[in-house]
Amino acid sequence: MAPRAGQLEPRGPLLPGLLLVAAALSRPAAPCPFQCYCFGSPKLLLRCASGAELRQPPRDVPPDARNLTIVGANLTVLRAAAFAGGDADGEEAAAGTVRLPLLTALRLTHNNIEVVEDGAFDGLPSLAALDLSHNPLRVLGGGAFRGLPALRSLQLNHALARGGPALLAALDVALGPLDELRLLGLAGNALSRLPPAALRRPRLEQLDARLNALAGLSPDELRALERDGGPPAPRLLLADNPLRCGCAARPLLAWLRNATERVPDARRLRCASPRSLHDRPFLDLDEARLRCANRDADGRGEEGELPGPELEASYVFFGLVLALIGLIFLMVLYLNRRGIQRWMRNLREACRDQMEGYHYRYEQDADPRRAPTPAAPAGSRATSPSSGL
């Protein structure tokens, strides 16, 4: 059918395709920050590794960035709104500023970060994964993670060991607003207990507490890991902790046996004390064999294990060996009774002869007739008749 007068002749799908390409090219791409690498679009990935030269987060990150990685820099301090316009010189971004609305993953490992101020991650409403592992954190603001409603993964592995109890208390406060948290990494931090706020996260799916200083879990911590209804209870990683296998470990042992799937590395748990159970697999222990010894003056007691069947069998065997040795000794004495009697008689006669010799010498020395004549004085010589005096 011929086209009507004034109607454009169709040119096929080529023209719309050219128009889309022209529209895409008409919008200039955002430049990549200095000394950073940018990959892909629209899910832009940035990796910045500038060593000691990078002392604050780059301010010219493209607004459509989805993933930002800064590794090996010297950030030291993350001030408030550090990724929304604030910098290390004290300049702060305006309230409510959002420079990176699409950023979902932020990795800041091995950057020598010591201080994270309140609101350090303000302006990142879409952030879902934050990794601060392998930083020597000393100060953590109680509101460090505020303004992160979508955060689902927080990694703090090998980052809390230098902060002491004060840093752990601040972490407990900072975790409070993270109701959407699913994954929490606390491995390698010398923790002697788990942060209570971490156990109370309503949607937590996994807590990594490996390579810490946990001697066990208290009944309160075990109860906090249970949930009545709602989302399933979280998984817990506990390998490479110095477990104290005494009476205090009985609740943990019973809990593990009823919920082994909740602790994927349960078979790797081993005892660090007492010495009799050192390096024994924790799940192989019998609850009835664990006990607490009498407490000392400080209220602390050494934990040990009750004698088990193996130990009792060893005691019985040792007693039988001693009885056999005693029986053999008595048999030897009986078979050599005549020789022993002769030896005793000879010994008695030898002792009697020795005593008679001592007695004879004593009598000889005591005889007055054998006493020596005293010598005359030199000036009193007797005069003879022939001396003529």
Side-chain angles (χ1 to χ4, degrees), residues 138-263:
R138 299 181 185 275
V139 179
L140 181 67
F145 306 128
R146 73 186 184 193
L148 297 177
L151 192 65
R152 299 167 61 93
S153 173
L154 176 60
Q155 300 296 329
L156 295 170
N157 303 316
H158 301 277
L160 307 174
R162 299 187 182 182
L167 182 59
L168 297 181
L171 174 65
D172 201 53
V173 176
L175 292 175
L178 303 180
D179 291 337
E180 296 296 324
L181 194 63
R182 303 294 203 277
L183 304 176
L184 178 59
L186 298 176
N189 288 314
L191 299 179
S192 59
R193 62 177 180 85
L194 297 177
L199 304 178
R200 293 194 300 265
R201 295 308 87 210
R203 300 181 182 277
L204 189 67
E205 297 177 358
Q206 179 170 302
L207 174 58
D208 187 355
R210 294 172 296 173
L211 202 64
N212 280 290
L214 298 175
L217 295 182
S218 66
D220 293 338
E221 291 173 326
L222 295 176
R223 282 192 294 269
L225 288 170
E226 300 297 333
R227 293 174 181 168
D228 297 332
R235 295 186 302 273
L236 184 62
L237 301 179
L238 286 175
D240 302 316
N241 276 286
L243 297 183
R244 185 178 298 122
C245 299
C247 60
R250 292 175 185 173
L252 175 60
L253 185 58
W255 180 79
L256 284 175
R257 288 176 175 170
N258 293 329
T260 308
E261 70 283 355
R262 298 271 304 280
V263 183

